Amino acid sequence: MFLTVSNLTKSYYGGITTPVLDGINMELEQGSIGVILGPSGSGKSTLMNIIGGVDRADGGEVLVDGINVTALTDDQLTEYRRERIGFIFQFYNLIPNLTVAENIEVVSNISKAPLPVDDVLSAVGLADKKRRFPRELSGGEQQRVSIARAIVKNPALLLCDEPTGALDYVTSRDVLALLQKVNTEYGTSILMITHNSAIAGMAQAVYKLRDGKVAEAYRNSQLVPAERIEW
Amino acid sequence: MALQKRIWRILSENKGRYIGIFILIFLGSFTLVAAKGFADNYGLLVNRFALHNLQEDLSFSVDQPLEGLAALKQETGAAIEPYRYADIPLSDKGELRLLTPQQTVNLPAVTSGSGLQQPGDILIDPFFASTHGFKIGDRIDTGHQSFRIVGTLALPHYIYPLKYINDILPPSGFGIGLVSPADMDSHPEAVTVYSVRFAARDNLGGQVIGLRAALEKQGVGLSDWTDAGNNKRIRMPWATITGAKTIAVPLPVALFLLCCLIVGIVIWRTVKADSVIIGALYAQGYRRRELTLHYLTLPLLLAAAGGLTGVLMGLPTIYPTVKYMANSYYIIPYEKLAVSAADVLAGILMPSAFLGLAAFLVIRRELRKTAGELMKGDRGKTKINFLERGLRLERFSFGTKFRLREQLRSIPRLLFLLFGVTAASVMMMFGFTINHSMNVVFQSGVDGTYDYAWEYSFKETRQGQVPNGATPFNALRCYPESKENAEFYLTGIASNADGIFLRDAGGNLLPKNQVNITYLLADRLKLREGQRIAFVSKLDGRSYELVVDGIVQTYSGQFIYMPLEDFNKLTGQPAGSYTGVFSMGKLPYEDWELAGVKDLQNLNNTMEDLAAPMTLMVIFMALIAALMGAIIIYLVTSLMIEESRATISLLKVFGYRGKEVRSLILNGSAWVVLLGFMLSIPLMLASASALYGYLGEMINMVLPIMLNPAYVILSFALIVTVYQATKGLSGRKLIKIPMSEALKAGSE
Ligand SMILES: Nc1ncnc2c1ncn2[C@@H]1O[C@H](COP(=O)(O)OP(=O)(O)OP(=O)(O)O)[C@@H](O)[C@H]1O
Ligand SMILES: [Mg+2]
């Protein structure tokens, strides 16, 4: 199994202890797409952050590609993120004073075997806008840059926290299609958080969280192409 | 207003930053009040002393006692009165110049104790008293005379107690003492000098010419004609006063302007960050004026606190500094000082005016927006400025691009760092450079021009043989026709004077049978080889003209050298005339024959006396400059880190290692620091040349403008050290920025 989460727990302490993750179990196969659904505050982002190595769990285990993420030191976590994880955020998080191409270079700069920047730019359909600054792009275009930035290092696992959360319907579908293309063309495993259960149709594995627990989990044998998702 | 409570929170959230700005403002106000207060008060005291104690306008010596003095005074309307002086070596490595008092000119000022009452009494200068440990009531034994010290004094024509008028420093242990004429009678070798002060205080130049004509009519031989304007004993205080004045205003203004930039940036960011709140407050009926006032509070508070502290700490330094100078450097009576209310007000209000205006302009621009616009909140939507847009950086490495863009992101911030580093470097190197120029001038005595050990100059012109091993010279004080205060010596030297080496810039020996001009004088008069110089003799007003053949690369003052025979012919003196000799060994001349003796090889000893306080001052200046640099770099770095929080956090998420983040964010300013430092070199040279220009005009002292590579490197090393240390400090701030910031925040 490419990704295995077992019995993961996490609480925030501050006066009263709030359990955020309460014994999460989850599996994802190499090269597949997983979707995490759930109401606001259910612990989706917290879970993803622990898998991505930017946050730490209290108990349980996360195995990614054979690496025991929960046992890594801070420095090892840095190397882990650097070599294996691609991040895509709801609000794109592009660096405003860098051009499109430079934003992608932020990641390719520290990758061992990055894809050519121009190639990924073409792949996301922005080859002609590489000299623009983020503020000169639409939201959808910005999210494409952010996808290009995440895939330029050819990561083992792509983590997307509500990648379409700030986009309209049509643009969202384009972005999802792009992610699906990345998944099939590069064979990248993708874990995606969304509020939109319609999106679950394009994922092999679907997990619904509620109050820090997996309330429901199922697999899709029949995948819906992103272009045909409607909501 | 409840809003005002925020001020304290904002202040305490960024303590380091506001302390930094406070110190910059403080330094500005302090310098303004202290330097200007010193310069003004000291200048006033010097002027008042000259006026009240009837300082001479000129002095001269004559070859025979002046007859018809009363008629002469009548004719010229001037006070003309002789005094006598004699130099007495003291047993313990010191020398005392005894002078007799005058009644109509150069009135002595008793600064402590009482005046002369009876023969055997002596008044001495306070510096001499302190260096030799003399107190009122002590006795000074000169060998065949014993004086009782009755007090200390200041003399208008010996404010700077130089032994020889062309010296730059008094010999160590040298001092002056005033004794009664009766006591002077036992010194037959005493020299008589006439001091002149004109009654009418205008058209002094014309009156000088009239007096000289009257004296020539009497047929007296004049020597040592010295105008007060060229008399270092009288004019030297102005070097220090001018020096203090040069920094008194420009430095504070530069500091205040720098603070404007930084405060402008900080306020702009605060207002921007608050724009949603401001919009909401507008919507609730807050008035623009109330909000403007709110945001003005912080800069005004900082400016007022810094200004007030600067003034309060600057004021008490004035009196001790003036007192110290008046007692041990340029001897004058000092009294209660007046502090200029205008300076105090300027020290307090100038920072407020500067910062208030800068902040006001920034605030007004933001607050002009409508409540709706503001509430929409374009937080984080940094505009792309023309520098960022214009740059084509494709061929650079990512690191270079990133660092460059990080710097160009905010032009005010960039300017602040650039000019801040420039200002700090200028200040640092300014001190070093002046120190170096002085050293060069002092050492020029041993720069290889003179192989001779001694220079003797006589009171009167001589003819005939000179002692073995000596070579004669003759000299005339002159000034260029167009520039009366650029006084120089026209010197005739024997063509076969084998101990004098005049070298050009290439190090080649210049022939001594031609007209050679020293570099400093040529530079000042913009003269080159082959050009003509027209000049006037100070002694008799006759005009001459010479063509310059060579320029001597030496920093030892302002001279034109020409062959002795030609000199005598040109000036109409008998062949073989000379007024002094150079010699390899000591010669047995008597003190009364001599106008001066110079130990050409040991000028360095005198220099050491000056070196200690000078070095202290330079070190102090360098330290202040380093502090300034540190604050400026710290302010910029902390601002940059804050503005880049989201980016830094994101880099961490992407797996950048701590060292890599630090290098990307912090090392980007290195080239700005380097550029700022390089800018400071020409700027410093320009300000030094301006100061030297003043010195030339004020006291006819010329210093070469030279950059000592060692000092440039030292200054650079200091700036780099400050930069590195500050980066180290800021590095800790970087580490503290959490990754969650990038994960939560939605920036562009
Ligand atoms: N730093 C923190 N300190 C305390 N509590 C926190 C912290 N971060 C998150 N939480 C809490 O943990 C819970 C889960 O947060 P998380 O961000 O994982 O939710 P989410 O499912 O991603 O929600 P959303 O859909 O709104 O993004 C929330 O109740 C939140 O309040
Ligand atoms: Mg979330």
Side-chain angles (χ1 to χ4, degrees):
Chain A
M1 196 53 62
F2 176 71
L3 165 71
T4 314
V5 177
S6 35
N7 270 324
L8 200 67
T9 55
K10 166 91 178 170
S11 307
Y12 284 110
Y13 309 93
I16 36 162
T17 308
T18 17
V20 178
L21 299 179
D22 193 3
I24 299 277
N25 290 291
M26 176 185 276
E27 286 188 329
L28 192 69
E29 272 162 52
Q30 170 88 53
S32 62
I33 298 179
V35 158
I36 303 174
L37 293 166
S40 192
S42 55
K44 305 182 295 292
S45 296
T46 308
L47 171 62
M48 185 173 269
N49 290 344
I50 293 171
I51 295 172
V54 290
D55 203 353
R56 286 189 170 280
D58 295 341
E61 215 177 52
V62 173
L63 282 171
V64 174
D65 208 6
I67 298 167
N68 186 352
V69 179
T70 36
L72 298 181
T73 63
D74 281 353
D75 285 349
Q76 286 168 328
L77 278 179
T78 302
E79 297 306 311
Y80 163 74
R81 293 196 303 273
R82 183 182 180 107
E83 274 158 33
R84 287 166 200 271
I85 307 297
F87 289 94
I88 292 169
F89 312 92
Q90 177 177 359
F91 296 105
Y92 333 125
N93 277 2
L94 299 179
I95 300 177
N97 62 320
L98 299 185
T99 63
V100 165
E102 287 161 1
N103 260 290
I104 296 169
E105 284 176 60
V106 169
V107 171
S108 71
N109 175 47
I110 53 164
S111 308
K112 278 194 182 130
L115 307 171
V117 172
D118 285 336
D119 288 6
V120 283
L121 269 172
S122 307
V124 301
L126 287 173
D128 54 334
K129 293 182 174 146
K130 60 190 260 188
R131 288 216 181 103
R132 296 242 188 129
F133 288 93
R135 61 175 295 149
E136 298 160 347
L137 299 175
S138 72
E141 285 168 334
Q142 290 192 47
Q143 194 60 299
R144 282 164 185 276
V145 176
S146 141
I147 293 171
R149 179 175 64 181
I151 62 173
V152 71
K153 70 163 134 182
N154 204 359
L157 178 60
L158 194 54
L159 298 176
C160 321
D161 195 339
E162 299 189 43
T164 60
L167 301 175
D168 63 27
Y169 172 66
V170 179
T171 321
S172 291
R173 263 206 335 209
D174 287 351
V175 166
L176 290 172
L178 181 58
L179 286 173
Q180 211 167 36
K181 186 175 120 188
V182 166
N183 172 251
T184 49
E185 271 180 26
Y186 298 101
T188 315
S189 310
I190 298 177
L191 191 60
M192 182 167 22
I193 294 176
T194 177
H195 272 114
N196 187 344
S197 48
I199 293 174
M202 62 182 276
Q204 281 95 343
V206 180
Y207 290 86
K208 282 192 180 163
L209 296 199
R210 183 165 298 132
D211 298 332
K213 291 192 177 70
V214 177
E216 192 189 340
Y218 62 88
R219 312 231 142 211
N220 286 323
S221 45
Q222 211 62 44
L223 294 190
V224 185
E227 291 85 355
R228 293 226 308 274
I229 295 177
E230 310 218 359
W231 64 85
Chain B
M1 188 157 49
L3 222 45
Q4 300 297 20
K5 281 199 197 116
R6 285 183 63 224
I7 304 280
W8 293 113
R9 223 190 50 231
I10 294 173
L11 269 177
S12 58
E13 269 170 10
N14 283 299
K15 269 187 235 95
R17 171 183 307 163
Y18 295 110
I19 291 175
I21 298 175
F22 171 83
I23 294 177
L24 290 183
I25 297 171
F26 164 79
L27 282 179
S29 286
F30 180 87
T31 313
L32 183 75
V33 169
K36 199 151 178 306
F38 167 76
D40 287 351
N41 275 297
Y42 207 70
L44 193 73
L45 288 180
V46 170
N47 275 336
R48 195 185 294 163
F49 186 38
L51 185 70
H52 291 185
N53 293 58
L54 307 176
Q55 188 177 62
E56 67 185 33
D57 294 321
L58 65 94
S59 65
F60 60 87
S61 301
V62 287
D63 53 358
Q64 68 222 36
L66 209 53
E67 278 164 30
L69 194 56
L72 193 64
K73 285 202 272 195
Q74 190 85 47
E75 184 183 342
T76 57
I80 308 176
E81 188 183 356
Y83 70 93
R84 284 177 289 160
Y85 74 84
D87 291 342
I88 314 293
L90 298 180
S91 47
D92 57 338
K93 188 177 163 291
E95 196 171 13
L96 185 59
R97 171 162 297 178
L98 300 179
L99 304 109
T100 54
Q102 292 163 288
Q103 268 76 44
T104 55
V105 59
N106 293 332
L107 306 184
V110 178
T111 53
S112 73
S114 62
L116 299 178
Q117 250 112 59
Q118 60 200 60
D121 285 355
I122 188 171
L123 285 162
I124 57 176
D125 78 71
F127 185 60
F128 181 78
S130 74
T131 46
H132 291 268
F134 286 129
K135 283 184 291 296
I136 296 176
D138 287 356
R139 301 201 76 88
I140 298 181
D141 224 345
T142 66
H144 61 280
Q145 248 175 332
S146 175
F147 293 105
R148 191 174 65 94
I149 301 171
V150 294
T152 58
L153 90 165
L155 282 174
H157 58 316
Y158 270 87
I159 292 178
Y160 191 42
L162 289 172
K163 184 172 178 189
Y164 299 116
I165 199 114
N166 289 318
D167 285 353
I168 298 179
L169 283 170
S172 67
F174 181 79
I176 56 170
L178 197 71
V179 297
S180 65
D183 286 326
M184 188 60 87
D185 288 343
S186 54
H187 292 278
E189 79 281 9
V191 180
T192 300
V193 177
Y194 287 87
S195 306
V196 179
R197 181 180 171 91
F198 296 105
R201 300 313 293 156
D202 54 352
N203 187 24
L204 289 180
Q207 297 187 71
V208 170
I209 294 171
L211 173 68
R212 181 173 268 150
L215 282 166
E216 266 159 22
K217 219 165 55 195
Q218 290 199 7
V220 292
L222 292 169
S223 61
D224 280 335
W225 186 278
T226 310
D227 292 336
N230 285 304
N231 188 342
K232 287 203 180 71
R233 290 180 189 132
I234 289 173
R235 295 300 287 177
M236 200 63 170
W238 293 104
T240 304
I241 295 168
T242 310
K245 272 194 177 148
T246 354
I247 59 160
V249 176
L251 180 71
V253 167
L255 281 170
F256 296 154
L257 283 176
L258 279 173
C259 289
C260 281
L261 269 175
I262 194 83
V263 164
I265 300 170
V266 170
I267 295 296
W268 180 74
R269 284 169 36 78
T270 316
V271 175
K272 269 270 188 214
D274 285 357
S275 65
V276 178
I277 310 170
I278 296 171
L281 290 174
Y282 265 1
Q284 286 167 43
Y286 266 91
R287 276 187 219 103
R288 193 160 297 167
R289 192 147 45 90
E290 289 168 315
L291 290 170
T292 308
L293 230 92
H294 167 65
Y295 288 103
L296 271 177
T297 314
L298 190 64
L300 287 181
L301 208 68
L302 267 177
L308 199 66
T309 320
V311 168
L312 287 181
M313 294 191 58
L315 284 178
T317 66
I318 300 174
Y319 184 72
T321 325
V322 168
K323 186 176 159 184
Y324 170 79
M325 289 299 286
N327 265 330
S328 50
Y329 233 88
Y330 308 125
I331 316 295
I332 53 171
Y334 59 94
E335 42 209 293
K336 241 183 41 208
L337 306 179
V339 174
S340 140
D343 288 355
V344 169
L345 278 181
I348 297 173
L349 296 183
M350 230 160 90
S352 300
F354 271 79
L355 296 201
L357 186 69
F360 177 76
L361 291 177
V362 168
I363 296 165
R364 204 184 54 166
R365 227 186 83 188
E366 280 307 306
L367 292 193
R368 257 207 306 243
K369 294 180 181 154
T370 64
E373 270 178 297
L374 286 165
M375 274 199 283
K376 244 194 332 192
D378 56 351
R379 203 160 79 85
K381 289 228 164 137
T382 30
K383 286 212 176 95
I384 305 295
N385 66 48
F386 70 101
L387 277 179
E388 296 179 275
R389 189 179 303 281
L391 279 184
R392 285 275 167 271
L393 300 171
E394 270 89 356
R395 50 212 148 82
F396 295 109
S397 76
F398 173 75
T400 311
K401 280 191 277 200
F402 186 95
R403 292 190 189 98
L404 254 172
R405 290 212 180 273
E406 200 59 29
Q407 294 307 313
L408 299 182
R409 195 167 181 183
S410 158
I411 294 175
R413 189 182 73 194
L414 180 68
L415 292 180
F416 173 72
L417 179 59
L418 188 67
F419 294 138
V421 170
T422 304
S425 312
V426 165
M427 186 169 163
M428 197 177 280
M429 283 196 289
F430 198 57
F432 283 145
T433 300
I434 293 174
N435 193 29
H436 179 56
S437 300
M438 299 283 248
N439 283 354
V440 165
V441 168
F442 285 117
Q443 266 153 11
S444 63
V446 288
D447 69 357
T449 302
Y450 299 105
D451 211 12
Y452 296 112
W454 298 94
E455 176 193 317
Y456 295 92
S457 41
F458 305 116
K459 294 234 166 78
E460 276 145 39
T461 308
R462 309 183 162 202
Q463 278 100 30
Q465 277 298 311
V466 296
N468 252 350
T471 185
F473 68 85
N474 205 342
L476 187 65
R477 263 227 301 274
C478 306
Y479 60 88
E481 224 154 44
S482 52
K483 205 170 173 133
E484 189 153 358
N485 46 16
E487 226 186 79
F488 64 90
Y489 274 102
L490 177 67
T491 307
I493 50 172
S495 304
N496 60 357
D498 48 10
I500 297 178
F501 302 96
L502 308 176
R503 290 192 180 79
D504 66 11
N508 310 310
L509 279 179
L510 292 164
K512 282 192 278 282
N513 58 7
Q514 62 175 29
V515 175
N516 298 309
I517 179 170
T518 55
Y519 165 78
L520 285 178
L521 183 59
D523 192 50
R524 191 173 178 195
L525 303 178
K526 314 255 176 304
L527 271 179
R528 279 195 268 129
E529 286 102 333
Q531 290 184 330
R532 196 168 286 279
I533 171 173
F535 54 93
V536 179
S537 158
K538 276 301 264 200
L539 205 60
D540 54 16
R542 275 179 60 185
S543 296
Y544 301 98
E545 228 181 58
L546 283 172
V547 174
V548 174
D549 297 315
I551 293 175
V552 190
Q553 191 62 37
T554 174
Y555 298 110
S556 62
Q558 309 174 78
F559 294 100
I560 295 180
Y561 296 105
M562 66 185 295
L564 183 58
E565 312 89 77
D566 297 354
F567 176 94
N568 285 335
K569 229 176 277 163
L570 182 75
T571 54
Q573 300 184 53
S577 298
Y578 61 94
T579 50
V581 296
F582 294 111
S583 148
M584 295 290 180
K586 249 188 140 115
L587 295 176
Y589 290 116
E590 299 287 336
D591 242 10
W592 59 264
E593 319 173 67
L594 295 174
V597 186
K598 238 193 236 164
D599 181 345
L600 293 173
Q601 305 303 323
N602 285 319
L603 290 167
N604 284 349
N605 294 349
T606 8
M607 194 186 77
E608 270 161 25
D609 289 349
L610 182 86
M614 182 87 186
T615 307
L616 260 176
M617 199 195 79
V618 168
I619 290 176
F620 180 72
M621 259 176 94
L623 286 181
I624 296 282
L627 173 69
M628 230 174 87
I631 292 172
I632 286 158
I633 295 171
Y634 170 79
L635 285 174
V636 164
T637 315
S638 78
L639 258 182
M640 211 163 62
I641 291 175
E642 209 182 292
E643 283 173 1
S644 306
R645 279 183 83 91
T647 303
I648 292 163
S649 172
L650 194 66
L651 291 175
K652 287 183 179 178
V653 169
F654 286 156
Y656 273 77
R657 300 178 188 126
K659 234 173 35 191
E660 290 168 337
V661 177
R662 220 169 322 169
S663 148
L664 276 182
I665 300 290
L666 297 180
N667 291 353
S669 44
W671 66 269
V672 186
V673 172
L674 182 70
L675 191 67
F677 183 80
M678 292 194 325
L679 269 182
S680 76
I681 295 174
L683 223 85
M684 186 273 303
L685 288 179
S687 30
S689 115
L691 174 69
Y692 293 176
Y694 278 132
L695 286 185
E697 298 301 311
M698 297 292 283
I699 60 169
N700 192 33
M701 177 167 138
V702 278
L703 294 173
I705 298 165
M706 314 182 69
L707 216 50
N708 184 343
Y711 283 142
V712 176
I713 292 169
L714 179 65
S715 305
F716 187 63
L718 261 169
I719 293 282
V720 168
T721 309
V722 163
Y723 176 58
Q724 294 294 359
T726 317
K727 271 197 330 192
L729 265 175
S730 312
R732 282 188 297 175
K733 268 196 184 161
L734 267 184
I735 294 168
K736 280 195 210 136
I737 296 177
M739 285 186 278
S740 58
E741 210 138 308
L743 299 171
K744 282 196 190 121
S747 71
E748 244 175 308

